[in-house]
Amino acid sequence: MEVSIAYSAKLLKEANNIVLTAHVHPDGDALGSLLALNAYLSAQGKQVRMLLDDEIPRTFKFLSDWEKVKKPDSSESQADLLVVLDSSDLERIGKVRDAVKAPILNLDHHISNLKFADYWYIDSQAAATGEIIVKLFKEVDAIITPSMATALFTAIATDCGFFRFANTSAETLIFASELVAAGAKPHIISEHLDTKPRAVIEVLPKVLETLEIVDCGQSGQIATLTLRQEILANLRDETEGFINYPRNIEGVEIAIMFKEADNNIRVSLRSRSADVSQIALAFGGGGHARAAGCTVTEPLNIAKRLIIEAAKKQLAKGFKIE
Ligand code: AMP
Ligand code: MN
Ligand code: MN
């Protein structure tokens, strides 16, 4: 059932034992939203647990309470409410799905959201789930501490490319301003996010060597990066940002990054104006018009061929989002 922010607040108020979760391969929005909501609910005296079926990336370990996020164990537990953040389908939360028995409230901003929850609030205009959490906090007059502000600023800023992407709205900037007033420090947050282990910078030539361009004439070009497992071994999954290199090439309409895992290929898609969420959805993934992803269970060369063919078709449609 579709619910409002006010109704979401009511559900949270009525629940005492609450589990919070977000998507696997967590990003700044998933973690920032999770940690901020946890801080608020804990301050309300609720019994709150944060469960995530993945490791916390090194980059986000400057956010308060990250170490309180636990992996689900095999035993099933009861709760009054399971809040699923920044996730467009239930697969995205991995094993948390089976580990917690509770009605689900889904707070999300993906256009591809499958409306899988018992209660959902989906705002595809929101730049980040963090914006939805800010609205929720306004609804309940929450006191936003500096660490909550830092988590929410991180959530919003990372999902809109630090206020440069098309999803950056006037409201995004107002919320960011309010979070800075509440104690978020943009320069410190950026410093944490931009600082990388030396190996991640040193591997860049090898990454850029894999650049391939597919020319689609009038419709523009498709540019790809391909990260084989050998390269990824030195990266410890710190590949965030690599896709901006092909994305920023003049004439490139769609950028794609293929990451080889043991049994599948993780695909990241970015575009200037073609709707890449359609491509991701067709392969069981999801996302936004200009940033989407999916996982393809095929060998690398087949996965590449399938995705590039789908991207060509999407480009040929000529449909452009604003
Ligand atoms: P990424 O390329 O991993 O940064 O993801 C870009 C966007 O697509 C994010 O909003 C993700 O939440 C979404 N996304 C990535 N992979 C998947 C997937 N397998 N299923 C659904 N959404 C995804
Ligand atoms: Mn996310
Ligand atoms: Mn998000």
Side-chain angles (χ1 to χ4, degrees), residues 7-23:
Y7 197 91
S8 305
K10 176 172 140 16
L11 287 172
L12 288 167
K13 194 171 176 208
E14 286 170 357
N16 280 313
N17 177 353
I18 305 173
V19 177
L20 308 178
T21 191
H23 62 80

Side-chain angles (χ1 to χ4, degrees), residues 158-178:
T158 50
D159 255 25
C160 67
F162 271 78
F163 315 103
R164 285 172 301 150
F165 296 164
N167 56 0
T168 307
S169 69
E171 201 169 48
T172 310
L173 293 164
I174 290 170
F175 289 173
S177 158
E178 291 171 352

Side-chain angles (χ1 to χ4, degrees), residues 84-248:
V84 175
L85 298 163
D86 199 38
S87 306
S88 54
D89 65 72
L90 210 42
E91 299 262 292
R92 294 284 281 155
I93 65 170
K95 294 197 184 84
V96 176
R97 177 186 178 167
D98 294 323
V100 182
K101 224 171 130 45
I104 297 179
L105 168 64
N106 179 212
L107 303 176
D108 186 34
H109 69 126
H110 289 93
I111 185 104
S112 63
N113 191 293
L114 298 183
K115 302 181 175 169
F116 59 87
D118 299 288
Y119 307 96
W120 70 81
Y121 178 86
I122 303 156
D123 178 4
S124 59
Q125 297 297 314
T129 300
E131 280 192 17
I132 299 172
I133 304 298
V134 170
K135 283 190 180 163
L136 184 76
F137 285 176
K138 285 176 186 280
E139 176 72 32
V140 297
D141 274 328
I143 295 166
I144 302 186
T145 64
S147 59
M148 286 157 76
T150 302
L152 288 173
F153 187 95
T154 302
I156 296 174
T158 50
D159 255 25
C160 67
F162 271 78
F163 315 103
R164 285 172 301 150
F165 296 164
N167 56 0
T168 307
S169 69
E171 201 169 48
T172 310
L173 293 164
I174 290 170
F175 289 173
S177 158
E178 291 171 352
L179 292 169
V180 172
K185 300 224 174 325
H187 70 292
I188 294 179
I189 294 170
S190 310
E191 186 74 24
H192 281 295
L193 296 172
D194 290 344
T195 305
K196 295 171 174 56
R198 179 174 163 176
V200 177
I201 303 298
E202 283 181 344
V203 82
L204 266 175
K206 281 207 167 70
V207 170
L208 293 176
E209 253 171 37
T210 72
L211 178 72
E212 290 170 86
I213 307 273
V214 182
D215 194 4
C216 303
Q218 287 281 310
S219 330
Q221 294 169 343
I222 297 168
T224 68
L225 286 180
T226 307
L227 308 187
R228 305 296 302 250
Q229 279 191 310
E230 312 78 275
I231 289 187
L232 288 166
N234 296 320
L235 283 174
R236 283 176 286 148
D237 214 24
E238 307 231 11
T239 55
E240 194 72 38
F242 286 173
I243 197 164
N244 289 324
Y245 290 103
R247 181 183 175 274
N248 288 342

